[in-house]
Amino acid sequence: MELLTPDQVDAGLATTPGWELADGGHLARTLTWKDFGEALRYVNAVGFLAEQAGHHPDIFISWSTVRLTLSTHSIGGLTDSDFALARAISALG
């Protein structure tokens, strides 16, 4: 697994709508749901995808708002795995 170059990160962002490059060099996405129950169901679905991928986001939940951040902690940056999981998560809604 290799770190992506800045140009590769830019290309990945162009094909991963709804995600941004956040401070610290990780991918981030924030979504707001109707209520805590919807937010929690979404988090559970994200968790299922993450387990299947063997790659886990940081998940922050505050009532109806969920913030996800992705990076490959073991090598200190973004890889193709981060973008692949981001796209899979985006397909959830």
Side-chain angles (χ1 to χ4, degrees), residues 29-70:
R29 184 174 188 192
T30 302
L31 297 105
T32 302
W33 301 94
K34 182 181 84 175
D35 56 28
F36 181 76
E38 275 191 8
L40 192 56
R41 283 187 287 281
Y42 175 74
V43 165
N44 285 329
V46 168
F48 179 79
L49 288 176
E51 279 295 300
Q52 285 184 319
H55 191 60
H56 304 93
D58 292 321
I59 301 172
F60 307 90
I61 185 168
S62 176
W63 195 67
S64 64
T65 301
V66 176
R67 182 161 176 83
L68 306 170
T69 62
L70 282 165

Side-chain angles (χ1 to χ4, degrees), residues 5-16:
T5 66
D7 287 342
Q8 290 171 315
V9 170
D10 289 343
L13 286 167
T15 60
T16 314

